């Protein structure tokens, strides 16, 4: 093994100072225990394990209450939730949907599954999410008004939705972004998959757009094994979401009546039972993740070329994944630091490869992406499980 560079040594000693001694430490591990065992048993005993059942209703009610949304519809996963939300927001075949280039691949995949094309835009350095000012300048250049909404003058396609994503739990600067979206008459659908527990100006992420979606995959802050949620304040959209994700079945005591082509995307009761238990733990997860973030922040306060990504102004982040930035790092230096961290048992990961550079999205329309390109070669996610904090305090 080669000796780590100066910056690698700085990283390793800061991590060792914050984290418990046992290794390896993974990036993010779920916490499941007696509460989840009891909920699962109750679900099995009820006889309802599939897409109908009391836990689905309870999870949805609890989620709506927690986020402050009027309606919540439990879905099989976050990608499916985003696909449906886009269709409900009015996205149609051959439209374009504005998404951040710096995101998980599910964001762009959902756009394709909804029949549209992802159109990639740049990020802001502070929030890591969509940059409202850059988007405004870009739309001023490429969007021309038409009777059915703004059209990309280069491709001729309608721009049908904007999908901000709250990266690693840090809220996007929503106020200016909504001003831009309103000015162009483009609906916002929030990809809040990573930001359960995060608020912007005191309001929960996911409730600013016409619809918002969440994910409960195994690595997210709350997990149902696999799962997702759509939230909205619009009763008609909520009813459509329920109908379209339940094979468009018309309620009847025994008849199989379906009135349109639809999806089988509803969350099974067995997954929802886990969700009910996990929602009880969420406040405690948030406290411990914030304590871990504070400890990381202090540990990197004086580190040369390394800065910890703190929650943006006007926001409270869930600190789903704690993240540092290696200023001026090239891809090879980043890789060298990641190799040193992982071989020392610290499960650190780089940011996603920019979606615009993946083979299936290479030819999609895009804005200039200078900040996203820089961030993608300089961000490192640190071990962020809530359990790391209680362990560290022992
Ligand atoms: C996790 C995630 C999704 C997709 O969620 P799944 O439940 O895995 O389908 C979508 N977007 C973002 C930003 C995510 O992090």
């Amino acid at each position: 093994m080669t000796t780590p560079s100066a910056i690698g040594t700085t990283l390793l000693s800061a991590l060792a100072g914050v984290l418990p001694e046992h290794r390896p430490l993974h990036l993010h591990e779920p916490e499941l225990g007696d509460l989840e065992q009891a909920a699962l048993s109750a679900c099995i005993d009820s006889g309802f394990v599939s897409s109908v059942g009391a836990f689905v209703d309870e999870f949805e009610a609890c989620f709506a209450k927690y986020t402050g949304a009027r309606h919540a519809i439990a879905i099989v996963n976050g990608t499916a939730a985003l696909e449906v939300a886009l269709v409900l927001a009015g996205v149609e075949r051959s439209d374009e949907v504005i998404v951040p280039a710096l995101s998980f691949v599910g964001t762009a995949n959902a756009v394709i599954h909804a029949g549209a094309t992802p159109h990639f835009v740049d990020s802001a350095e502070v929030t890591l999410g969509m940059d409202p000012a850059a988007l405004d300048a870009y739309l001023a250049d490429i969007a021309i008004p038409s009777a059915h909404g703004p059209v990309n003058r280069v491709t001729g396609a309608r721009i049908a939705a904007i999908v901000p994503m709250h990266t690693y739990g840090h809220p996007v600067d929503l106020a200016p972004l909504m001003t831009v979206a309103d000015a162009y008459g483009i609906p916002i659908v929030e990809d809040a998959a990573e930001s359960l527990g995060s608020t912007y100006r005191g309001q929960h992420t996911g409730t600013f757009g016409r619809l918002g979606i969440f994910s409960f995959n195994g690595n997210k802050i709350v997990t149902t094994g696999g799962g997702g949620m759509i939230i909205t304040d619009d009763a008609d959209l909520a009813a459509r979401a329920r109908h379209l994700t339940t094979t468009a079945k018309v309620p009847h005591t025994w008849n199989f009546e379906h009135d349109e082509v639809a999806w089988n995307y509803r969350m099974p009761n067995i997954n929802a039972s886990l969700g009910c238990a996990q929602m009880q733990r969420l406040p405690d997860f948030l406290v411990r993740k914030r304590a871990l973030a504070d400890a990381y922040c202090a540990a990197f306060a004086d580190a040369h070329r390394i800065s910890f990504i703190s929650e943006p102004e006007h926001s409270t982040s869930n600190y789903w994944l704690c993240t540092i930035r290696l200023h001026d790092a090239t891809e090879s230096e980043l890789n060298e630091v990641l190799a040193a961290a992982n071989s020392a048992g610290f499960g650190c990961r780089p940011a996603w490869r920019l979606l615009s550079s993946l083979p299936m999205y290479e030819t999609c329309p895009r804005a200039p992406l200078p900040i996203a390109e820089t961030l993608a070669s300089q961000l490192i996610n640190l071990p962020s499980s809530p359990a790391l904090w209680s362990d560290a305090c022992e």
Side-chain angles (χ1 to χ4, degrees):
M1 215 186 91
T2 52
T3 349
S5 59
I7 198 164
T9 309
T10 307
L11 174 64
L12 294 191
S13 69
L15 292 177
V18 171
L19 296 169
E21 268 168 30
H22 64 87
R23 310 272 156 75
L25 299 172
H26 300 288
L27 185 67
H28 201 279
E29 287 185 294
E31 233 174 277
L32 302 161
D34 293 347
L35 272 177
E36 288 75 11
Q37 291 275 7
L40 275 177
S41 296
C43 181
I44 292 166
D45 291 346
S46 78
F48 290 90
V49 294
S50 200
S51 57
V52 178
F55 285 107
V56 174
D57 299 341
E58 186 186 326
F59 186 34
E60 291 177 344
C62 164
F63 201 86
K65 183 159 183 243
Y66 183 81
T67 56
R70 289 226 176 85
H71 308 279
I73 302 95
I75 305 292
V76 284
N77 61 56
T79 308
L82 186 54
E83 173 190 356
V84 174
L86 289 169
V87 169
L88 290 173
V91 171
E92 291 174 2
R93 207 154 285 282
S94 70
D95 282 342
E96 287 176 9
V97 173
I98 302 279
V99 300
L102 184 67
S103 187
F104 175 63
V105 70
T107 309
N109 287 344
V111 172
I112 296 285
H113 294 315
T117 301
H119 186 150
F120 300 107
V121 298
D122 208 10
S123 293
E125 282 189 279
V126 174
T127 65
L128 312 179
M130 204 177 270
D131 183 336
L135 179 66
D136 195 19
Y138 181 62
L139 287 176
D141 177 30
I142 63 138
I144 44 174
S146 86
H148 58 298
V151 166
N152 178 344
R153 67 171 166 78
V154 182
T155 60
R158 181 175 73 133
I159 300 171
I162 296 174
V163 181
M165 192 280 283
H166 307 295
T167 313
Y168 309 137
H170 298 309
V172 163
D173 197 359
L174 283 156
L177 189 70
M178 287 166 64
T179 305
V180 174
D182 285 349
Y184 287 89
I186 309 172
I188 287 182
V189 175
E190 286 176 79
D191 182 346
E194 306 183 352
S195 65
L196 177 58
S198 303
T199 58
Y200 177 81
R201 294 183 187 269
Q203 186 180 329
H204 204 287
T205 51
T207 62
F208 291 83
R210 193 170 291 177
L211 305 110
I213 71 95
F214 294 83
S215 165
F216 311 113
N217 195 34
N219 60 349
K220 295 292 180 358
I221 189 164
V222 153
T223 186
T224 58
M229 192 74 80
I230 295 175
I231 60 172
T232 182
D233 280 345
D234 184 315
D236 294 334
L237 289 181
R240 290 281 300 147
R242 254 173 239 290
H243 189 60
L244 283 177
T245 55
T246 325
T247 62
K249 190 173 185 308
V250 179
H252 189 279
T253 319
W254 56 79
N255 278 348
F256 290 104
E257 200 69 60
H258 305 265
D259 60 4
E260 52 191 311
V261 177
W263 293 281
N264 175 16
Y265 275 179
R266 288 284 269 157
M267 178 186 282
N269 203 37
I270 200 150
N271 299 82
S273 72
L274 289 173
C276 293
Q278 289 266 290
M279 286 304 282
Q280 288 185 50
R281 293 179 187 266
L282 176 59
D284 172 54
F285 290 162
L286 290 168
V287 167
R288 284 188 279 144
K289 288 173 80 69
R290 175 162 294 267
L292 180 64
D294 288 345
Y296 276 137
C297 187
F300 290 108
D302 300 320
H304 180 54
R305 286 181 54 211
I306 302 182
S307 58
F308 181 76
I309 308 288
S310 293
E311 62 196 355
E313 252 193 318
H314 313 303
S315 297
T316 305
S317 175
N318 66 1
Y319 283 105
W320 171 54
L321 290 185
C322 288
T323 306
I324 53 168
R325 179 169 169 190
L326 252 55
H327 293 273
D328 307 317
T330 57
E331 206 171 310
S332 69
E333 190 182 22
L334 184 91
N335 284 330
E336 183 241 312
V337 167
L338 282 167
N342 280 280
S343 65
F346 298 114
C348 295
R349 294 284 179 274
W352 309 280
R353 235 182 93 180
L354 290 192
L355 299 180
S356 49
S357 75
L358 295 178
M360 62 287 194
Y361 295 129
E362 254 169 11
T363 59
C364 291
R366 76 210 41 208
L369 302 168
I371 305 297
E373 276 160 10
T374 305
L375 291 173
S377 67
Q378 298 184 352
L379 295 180
I380 295 183
N381 298 139
L382 308 175
S384 301
S385 310
L388 293 174
W389 184 250
S390 42
D391 288 5
C393 292
E394 266 164 25

